[in-house]
């Protein structure tokens, strides 16, 4: 039974031990790298990639999962017998399964039936259970129902991402980026570019920039089939027409999520799926290792901003996120036949990005 439902208190020794295990895991971990990418065609402008693929569970969702567990634990929403539930298209559930196992808790991921097999394998690898739904729009309701039936706790990343993270510091992704930029020629980036799935990362970065009074602007790169950039232009738009879905895993949503905070975003750039895939391929060739699709979306938006900066005669730095590696997309984004079947014509965009990267 979830302690919040029964009104029972959580045993404080168990709670202390649970928090200690998560903090100890953090204490054993190194920070993620900030990779410098020189752009020979754009003198005086440098691109940086915050490499979130190097977390123990392979993506920026490792940070989110840690924050969501600590938030739930310190609210006494999770006790030693609590089943933990999440609605996730993959990466969040992989990271949460890792933390649930660390605490000895049962974990159930509610995923759309279309979720790629390597992600399901990774969830099961960390001891998580899978609950599949045919209609992706039902994941929220099904998660609530499972929580009620098992007396468990629904972590609800889409609601709590923006508030579970310590946005003023505590080595959140923004604080880490600014610390790692300190010795560069342009330590204060002109722009930081990221995507939005829950919206938690953009909320954290946008608030941190304002709190630290940096001049940096925040751009969110969004797939064309996502509601976020439409909502940014017109706050009355809160959902996409049925059947419209982002093909870039991890980012772009059909409904405006509660964790998406448009007021701290300076600009949004809509990116075609084929351009995201082309940019992803070009960057993978440049780095000598595969990156995920949302990293391609970010790079496409960065190229647009860099070209604008160059045209205006500006110099400076621009930072974006390498959100996850490409190993979970071998049978999809890195399979030419898979892309052909779906009509994703990416080669032109890849050639353009190869040129951009010099
Ligand atoms: C979740 C996710 C994002 C977006 O991060 P949010 O903080 O949820 O907005 C980007 N890329 C990948 C691969 C993700 O899994």
């Amino acid at each position: 039974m979830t302690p919040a439902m029964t009104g029972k208190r959580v045993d404080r020794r168990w709670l202390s031990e649970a928090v200690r295990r998560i903090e100890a895991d953090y204490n054993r971990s190194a920070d993620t790298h900030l990779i410098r990418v020189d752009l020979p065609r754009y003198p005086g402008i440098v691109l940086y990639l915050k490499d979130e693929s190097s977390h123990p569970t392979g993506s920026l969702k490792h940070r989110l999962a840690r924050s969501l567990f600590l938030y739930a634990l310190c609210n006494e929403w999770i006790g030693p017998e609590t089943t933990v539930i999440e609605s996730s298209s993959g990466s969040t559930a992989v990271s949460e399964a890792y933390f649930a196992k660390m605490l000895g808790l049962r974990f159930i991921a509610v995923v759309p039936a279309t979720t790629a097999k390597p992600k399901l394998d990774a969830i099961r690898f960390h001891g998580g259970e899978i609950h599949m739904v045919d209609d992706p729009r039902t994941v929220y309701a099904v998660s609530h129902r499972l929580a009620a039936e098992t007396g468990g706790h629904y972590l609800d990343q889409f609601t709590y991402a923006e508030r579970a993270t310590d946005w003023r510091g505590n080595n959140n992704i923004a604080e880490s980026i600014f610390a790692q930029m300190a010795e560069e020629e342009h330590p204060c980036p002109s722009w930081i570019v990221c995507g939005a799935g829950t919206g938690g990362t953009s909320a954290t970065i946008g608030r941190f920039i304002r709190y630290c009074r940096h001049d940096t602007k925040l751009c969110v790169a969004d797939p064309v089939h996502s509601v976020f950039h439409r909502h940014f232009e017109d706050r009355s738009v809160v959902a996409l027409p049925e059947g419209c879905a982002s093909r870039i895993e991890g980012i772009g949503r059909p409904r405006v999520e509660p964790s998406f905070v448009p007021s701290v975003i300076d600009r949004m750039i809509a990116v075609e799926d084929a351009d995201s895939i082309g940019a992803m391929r070009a960057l993978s060739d440049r780095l000598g290792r595969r990156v995920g699709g949302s990293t391609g979306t970010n790079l496409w938006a960065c190229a647009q901003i860099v070209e604008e900066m160059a045209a205006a005669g500006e110099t400076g730095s621009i930072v974006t996120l390498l959100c996850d590696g490409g190993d979970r997309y071998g049978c999809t984004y890195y399979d030419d036949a898979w892309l052909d079947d779906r009509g994703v014509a990416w080669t032109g965009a890849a050639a353009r990005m190869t040129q951009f990267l010099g």
Side-chain angles (χ1 to χ4, degrees), residues 59-61 64 89-92 119 157-158 161 194-203 228 248-252 260 292-295 298 321-325 329:
S59 81
L60 79 176
K61 290 303 189 313
L64 174 62
S89 63
S91 293
T92 304
K119 287 203 177 159
Q157 58 168 336
F158 295 109
C194 68
T198 63
T201 304
S202 53
F228 290 137
I248 306 302
E249 284 191 42
I251 57 169
F260 180 69
S294 69
T295 305
N298 289 344
L321 311 188
L322 196 171
C323 307
D324 63 355
Y329 308 106

Side-chain angles (χ1 to χ4, degrees), residues 69-296:
F69 267 94
L70 286 174
Y71 192 69
L73 284 166
C74 295
N75 280 321
E76 291 202 9
W77 291 343
I78 293 179
E81 308 300 330
T82 307
T83 297
V84 179
I85 291 143
E86 182 64 287
S87 53
S88 164
S89 63
S91 293
T92 304
V94 175
S95 301
E96 288 168 345
Y98 170 91
F99 286 102
K101 189 178 188 183
M102 181 185 291
L103 305 183
L105 299 172
R106 183 180 177 207
F107 178 74
I108 306 172
V110 179
V111 304
T114 51
T115 304
K117 188 171 175 295
K119 287 203 177 159
L120 301 180
D121 290 344
I123 295 167
R124 292 197 186 97
F125 174 81
H126 290 295
E129 298 166 37
I130 309 281
H131 185 101
M132 276 206 208
V133 298
D134 288 323
D135 181 351
R137 287 167 304 168
T138 63
V139 291
Y140 314 101
V142 171
S143 299
H144 280 295
R145 181 171 57 77
L146 278 179
E149 283 171 11
T150 61
H153 175 65
Y154 172 25
L155 284 167
D156 194 355
Q157 58 168 336
F158 295 109
T159 299
Y160 293 106
E162 59 87 9
R163 72 192 81 161
T165 304
D166 294 337
W167 54 270
R168 278 174 291 190
N170 193 13
N171 195 39
N172 68 47
I173 191 165
E175 188 176 45
S176 169
I177 287 170
F178 280 93
Q180 289 176 319
M181 285 296 290
E183 303 296 333
E184 301 304 304
E185 300 97 303
H186 303 284
C188 188
S190 303
W191 287 90
I192 296 179
V193 177
C194 68
T198 63
T201 304
S202 53
T204 301
I205 295 172
R207 288 167 177 161
F208 184 85
I209 288 170
R210 283 154 183 81
Y211 177 61
C212 294
R213 290 159 279 148
H214 293 306
D215 289 329
T216 306
K217 292 199 176 82
L218 174 63
C219 171
V220 170
D222 199 33
V224 282
H225 298 300
S226 166
V227 76
F228 290 137
H229 62 276
R230 300 170 207 220
H231 179 71
F232 183 73
E233 297 301 336
D234 176 355
R235 300 291 153 89
S236 71
V237 181
V238 294
L240 285 184
E242 232 176 273
C244 222
S246 159
R247 226 190 244 122
I248 306 302
E249 284 191 42
I251 57 169
R253 302 288 303 168
R255 67 161 209 190
V256 176
E257 302 296 349
S259 274
F260 180 69
V261 183
S263 53
V264 300
I265 298 168
D266 297 287
R267 174 180 185 178
M268 290 193 70
I269 295 179
V271 182
E272 296 284 347
D273 292 344
D275 295 338
S276 293
I277 300 298
M280 174 202 82
R281 291 286 193 105
L283 183 62
S284 299
D285 289 344
R286 166 72 184 259
L287 297 177
R289 67 190 167 99
R290 289 178 170 184
V291 302
S294 69
T295 305

